[in-house]
């Protein structure tokens, strides 16, 4: 019997498991969904914006049930599309896909809109699904989505999410220890997708958008989640891209990924090794993150 478990960077010990068993037993009429929310209320487990961390809580309880440590009530209903294997793909939208070729100064006003939890979110998802080489994946945890418009037409999409917890080159660049990383990892954001639509041919547009994003992302994150962002990062597959637009927007190369992924158990590379680029959003980012 394991003395403790690890989940999303947290250690779960025998005393906490015993508390969970008693809590579940004292709420015999609660569903799994309701149990997770009740538990978050009791423990004060909330995001910075006040929302309950019930999704993370359910993940923890499922892990402990699979390990035979707790027994959850039977599943009462299944939400269609909840599993990545059953979730329907975003459908294509009809739009003007004629070639857009111009100089940056000729493009007119460029409008960047945060579209998560708005009517334009399905449109954003569709654009990534049908025009980005990696397609669309539903993010987990904190994330924001941005649509970029020019002349009434979409020209680009950017997706941002929570950063990976362990990234050696980045961690050495910041200079934080394990406890500071655990405490402040939520103050980083990861650029998971950046798409210039394939019919758009505007030199320097990508670096211009990245520069604009750097000025506003922290405020948008603060508004949605109740905390700022001090450093952003991304991965570049050098077999496909040179990362030129990021460098032109003052991003810095700090190293490479190991190619193992976050769920690696073999300690061997099983995916492409990618370049790690970062951009501090505050000059005193090291003091704020590592202090």
């Amino acid at each position: 019997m394991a003395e403790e478990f690890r989940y999303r960077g947290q250690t779960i010990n025998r005393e906490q498991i015993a508390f969970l068993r008693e809590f579940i037993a004292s709420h015999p009429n609660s569903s799994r969904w309701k149990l997770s929310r009740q538990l978050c209320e009791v423990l004060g487990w909330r995001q910075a914006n006040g929302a309950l961390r019930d999704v993370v809580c359910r993940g923890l309880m499922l892990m402990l049930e699979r390990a035979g440590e707790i027994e959850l009530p039977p599943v009462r209903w299944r939400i269609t599309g909840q599993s990545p294997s059953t979730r329907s793909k975003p459908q294509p939208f009809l739009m003007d896909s004629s070639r857009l070729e111009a100089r940056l100064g000729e493009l007119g006003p460029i409008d960047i809109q945060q579209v998560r939890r708005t009517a334009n979110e399905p449109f954003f998802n569709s654009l990534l699904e049908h025009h980005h080489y990696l397609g669309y994946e539903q993010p987990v945890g904190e994330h924001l989505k941005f649509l970029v418009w020019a002349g009434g037409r979409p020209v680009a999409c950017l997706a941002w999410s929570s950063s990976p917890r362990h990234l050696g080159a980045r961690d050495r660049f910041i200079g934080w220890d394990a406890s500071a990383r655990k405490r402040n990892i939520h103050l980083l954001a990861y650029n998971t997708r950046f798409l210039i639509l394939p019919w758009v041919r505007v030199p320097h547009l990508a670096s211009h958008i990245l520069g604009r994003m750097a000025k506003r992302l922290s405020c948008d994150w603060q508004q949605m989640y109740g905390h700022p962002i001090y450093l952003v990062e991304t991965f570049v597959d050098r077999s496909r891209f040179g990362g030129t637009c990021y460098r032109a927007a003052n991003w810095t190369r700090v190293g490479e990924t190991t190619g193992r992924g976050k769920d690696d158990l073999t300690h061997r590379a099983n995916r492409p090794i990618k370049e790690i680029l970062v951009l501090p959003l505050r000059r005193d980012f090291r003091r704020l993150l590592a202090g």
Side-chain angles (χ1 to χ4, degrees):
M1 180 181 295
E3 287 301 313
E4 59 184 34
F5 292 84
R6 296 282 295 174
Y7 184 72
R8 295 177 68 92
Q10 302 292 325
T11 300
I12 314 301
N13 58 34
R14 305 306 308 178
E15 183 179 351
Q16 292 166 317
I17 293 172
F19 168 79
L20 278 174
R21 292 190 189 121
E22 293 176 5
F23 187 85
I24 294 168
S26 65
H27 296 78
N29 298 320
S30 294
S31 65
R32 296 182 178 204
W33 179 85
K34 190 172 183 180
L35 268 175
S36 65
R37 296 183 67 83
Q38 290 171 324
L39 186 58
C40 287
E41 291 279 7
V42 169
L43 299 178
W45 204 0
R46 294 179 179 272
Q47 301 177 40
N49 64 354
L52 295 175
R53 295 184 179 271
D54 56 314
V55 175
V56 174
C57 184
R58 283 196 293 279
L60 169 63
M61 292 194 295
L62 283 171
M63 181 196 74
L64 292 174
E65 183 187 47
R66 289 166 183 156
E69 295 292 342
I70 63 174
E71 184 176 353
L72 292 172
V75 176
R76 297 184 184 180
W77 62 82
R78 296 187 184 277
I79 302 173
T80 302
Q82 189 178 50
S83 168
S85 61
T86 60
R87 185 180 295 123
S88 60
K89 298 286 187 180
Q91 296 301 305
F93 281 71
L94 290 175
M95 69 181 122
D96 181 4
S97 58
S98 60
R99 190 177 181 90
L100 176 58
E101 189 166 3
R103 295 178 180 177
L104 183 60
E106 299 169 344
L107 201 56
I110 297 173
D111 184 26
I112 302 177
Q113 296 179 349
Q114 199 293 113
V115 297
R116 188 179 177 214
R117 298 177 181 169
T118 74
N120 274 330
E121 186 172 10
F123 182 46
F124 172 96
N125 298 347
S126 176
L127 291 175
L128 284 186
E129 174 64 27
H130 296 284
H131 300 292
H132 195 283
Y133 79 103
L134 293 174
Y136 174 75
E137 289 186 2
Q138 179 61 33
V140 176
E142 297 183 359
H143 63 280
L144 293 180
K145 303 174 179 180
F146 293 86
L147 262 177
V148 185
W149 302 81
R153 298 177 61 183
V155 295
C157 303
L158 298 97
W160 302 82
S161 71
S162 304
S163 288
R165 290 192 299 276
H166 304 287
L167 202 57
R170 174 208 63 197
D171 295 342
R172 289 188 291 273
F173 175 77
I174 294 172
W176 56 10
D177 57 22
S179 63
R181 181 182 63 212
K182 179 179 177 180
R183 190 168 60 246
N184 295 326
I185 188 67
H186 67 290
L187 302 175
L188 276 60
Y190 167 37
N191 180 206
T192 58
R193 297 285 191 273
F194 185 18
L195 169 69
I196 301 292
L197 288 168
W199 50 84
V200 176
R201 295 289 186 272
V202 180
H204 313 300
L205 175 62
S207 58
H208 174 80
I209 291 171
L210 288 171
R212 294 267 300 272
M213 280 300 318
K215 294 178 181 178
R216 64 170 290 172
L217 182 65
S218 184
C219 291
D220 286 304
W221 216 279
Q222 180 83 47
Q223 185 174 3
M224 180 69 75
Y225 293 110
H227 67 81
I229 295 295
Y230 295 142
L231 183 138
V232 291
E233 63 191 18
T234 196
F235 302 156
V236 175
D237 185 346
R238 292 304 302 272
S239 68
R240 286 179 171 268
F241 308 105
T244 306
C245 64
Y246 287 97
R247 289 178 170 82
N250 296 319
W251 290 56
T252 301
R253 182 189 187 278
V254 296
E256 294 180 337
T257 64
T258 60
R260 298 200 303 262
K262 64 179 182 179
D263 298 319
D264 168 64
L265 297 175
T266 65
H267 303 292
R268 296 179 180 177
N270 54 24
R271 63 196 66 195
I273 294 175
K274 298 181 179 180
E275 191 174 47
I276 304 169
L277 300 176
V278 305
L279 177 70
L281 302 185
R282 290 272 302 254
R283 291 184 178 180
D284 57 347
F285 73 97
R286 285 193 174 92
R287 178 184 65 82
L288 294 166
L289 293 173

